[in-house]
């Protein structure tokens, strides 16, 4: 249960409603997720976070499905239940199949395993990897 | 500096050399990374890890570049220096541009931010996200 | 559901009761949280953890509200549900308003985002930051 | 060593220079940290991140020193070397003493310890902590 | 609630059943945990993960109880609820007492505390610890 | 490079020297690690942390080697370079062989992999694992 009240549209200030309206228009839905209703307790964070997510997730050099897969991968790796649930749903909307989810989590699991092996042995970075910038 | 000796090809057992040979053949290179030279201290882990990585990173429902991007995203999120360096290099080999890297890390950063906001407010999962299986 | 029985006051040993008594006296309450009832399964950990928390959270160069905010920030960043719930409650008791919670979590989110960006690009530390000790 | 080139002012585009100028003006310094020089490889991330940090870290219900302490606490908890170094320096500028740093890290350490104890025993949240919103 | 359907034995393919059979035979039980039923949505991950776990957890230079304690310690440190619940049960089967669990979590808590203190102060590694390989 | 001065024995207060003396006596060595020299900047944290570590790592239901292995496992999983280096050295002193280290890190890697798979699929906890307390 959230540690703040979820702010519903009907009870929201004009400032919050404007963000909710933009979320629903951008996502072509008539529903606002609990995440945004919680953030509405602090309107500057609601606005800034929505604008940032909107900008970051827009199509660019990476397509929207790839971005959703990466978002889900990070959320799974961090063990954020809310974000895993919401971004699994978003990724499915963007076309993620069960097969793709299976491969995605396999990579996430593998990366977590080898991250700890590399750290655990304190492996020094190969010269060949340095200065790739 | 690694907490174990890095096992060079010349000093490796036949079992280790067989894995090193397969790594170089699969990756079409004549170099074995320090990571594998460290794992060679425990041959069963070397063999199992290599076979797992090889299987998981092979083309499937997700293409190799997408898999490398996800691997790098998780490694950046976990702060594993070695893995960030090595998978930035691998992703570039698979075609990652600076523009793609910029967008990738923007998604990683955003996911980490919203993961903590969702956890911090203890937002309950929307009914709409449940049972998406 | 806890993986151990919660030890209630009535069923507790004298050693455990003494810690429970000190918790209630120090916090001016007649309730002991589930956290301490779980730790009571291992009395040395109960005693040591309580004494440490009591010492660390006492007023000093930082005031108790600031300490609670930091405790909550770390718990939110780590995604520990129990600790987020209990330290949100403690911070409110110390005077944290919704506005302060909003700003706190905004900083926590931002720090998590930039932590991953700095790690993701493997940014080297500026000379100016070194040797600040 | 960074996985991208650090963009120096002299080599930066007008868009990047505008952000660098605002950073230096806001912070009353003639130096831009390596973090921003790395982000300059992806100007939209540079601009968005700087604007977000500027907004989030401005004085509000929490004062600037408290915000820096929280930023440092999260960075220490995440083990981000760059961010620990840079935010230790920023916090000192805002007035953090060695005594305050000592107390801050003591709270960070304690929170990490009890987060794992609460998770490790899977302690259920007390009714008294629910619905504090 | 899982984001995929749990695959029950009766509804499983021959490939999945073969893994389920091996799990039940190896563990001398007639029950397959939800974890494996979820992984069954991606049979290559089911097979590879089971074979890896089976190999890694077999008796070797470390005995099975020590391995279960380490598995539980990492799961508690990562805050993975499912894994904490399942590996607490497995460790108890291998002989873990409440006293041992108490000491184990005390070490996990302490390690998390000192990890953050060492990172928080950016302590440089002693010469004496280098090159222990 | 540490963000505080390392306090050497010669420059230490009587309070700090007393802790340093106890560390050297308990560990039968004439050297104090950098970690303690950094903590010496905040004597209450130095004293409390040392007393806690001393108590937690003493022989009990778990032997000292098992405790060191768990400490190293958590440190590797958290990616704390200092702690990995120092606890690899301590574990070797307690008798850890390369073979044991290999098996230990294999379990750490595997636990990290399956933790993320269980979280990533949001697997619900089996009834059989509940109420094991």
């Amino acid at each position: 249960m959230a540690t703040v009240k979820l702010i519903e549209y009907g009870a929201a200030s004009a400032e919050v409603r404007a963000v909710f309206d933009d979320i629903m228009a951008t996502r072509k839905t008539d529903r606002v997720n609990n995440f945004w209703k919680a953030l509405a307790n602090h309107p500057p964070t609601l606005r800034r976070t929505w604008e940032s997510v909107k900008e970051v997730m827009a199509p660019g050099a990476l397509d929207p499905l790839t971005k959703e897969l990466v978002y889900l991968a990070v959320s799974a790796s961090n063990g954020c239940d809310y974000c895993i649930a919401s971004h699994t749903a978003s990724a499915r909307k963007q076309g993620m199949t069960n097969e793709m989810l299976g491969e995605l989590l396999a990579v996430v699991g593998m990366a977590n395993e080898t991250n700890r092996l590399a750290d655990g042995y304190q492996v020094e970075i190969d010269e060949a990897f340095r200065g790739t910038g």
Side-chain angles (χ1 to χ4, degrees), chain A residues 53-76:
Chain A
V53 166
K54 190 177 164 182
E55 179 182 317
V56 166
M57 300 305 281
L62 300 179
D63 61 278
L65 173 56
T66 300
K67 288 184 171 185
E68 277 297 341
L69 293 174
V70 169
Y71 217 115
L72 176 53
V74 170
S75 302

Side-chain angles (χ1 to χ4, degrees), chain A residues 83-133:
Chain A
C83 310
I84 293 166
S86 65
H87 285 279
T88 298
S90 316
R92 286 195 197 278
K93 260 198 206 165
Q94 295 284 356
M96 181 182 72
T97 61
N98 259 358
E99 182 72 15
M100 290 163 80
L101 175 59
E103 293 190 13
L104 180 74
L105 293 181
V107 177
V108 169
M110 209 64 226
N112 272 287
E113 183 173 22
T114 57
N115 280 194
R116 280 43 165 139
L117 288 170
D119 274 345
Y121 277 124
Q122 293 282 287
V123 185
E124 52 257 71
I125 299 177
D126 301 68
E127 270 312 304
F129 298 149
R130 295 191 173 275
T132 58

Side-chain angles (χ1 to χ4, degrees), chain A residues 23-68:
Chain A
I23 291 173
M24 292 188 287
T26 304
R27 298 193 162 169
K28 301 187 196 347
T29 173
D30 58 356
R31 219 174 52 79
V32 170
N33 296 343
N34 287 347
F35 177 69
W36 305 111
K37 293 179 187 170
L39 290 198
N41 284 273
H42 193 244
T45 299
L46 173 68
R47 181 192 41 69
R48 184 179 46 77
T49 307
W50 165 244
E51 283 175 7
S52 293
V53 166
K54 190 177 164 182
E55 179 182 317
V56 166
M57 300 305 281
L62 300 179
D63 61 278
L65 173 56
T66 300
K67 288 184 171 185
E68 277 297 341

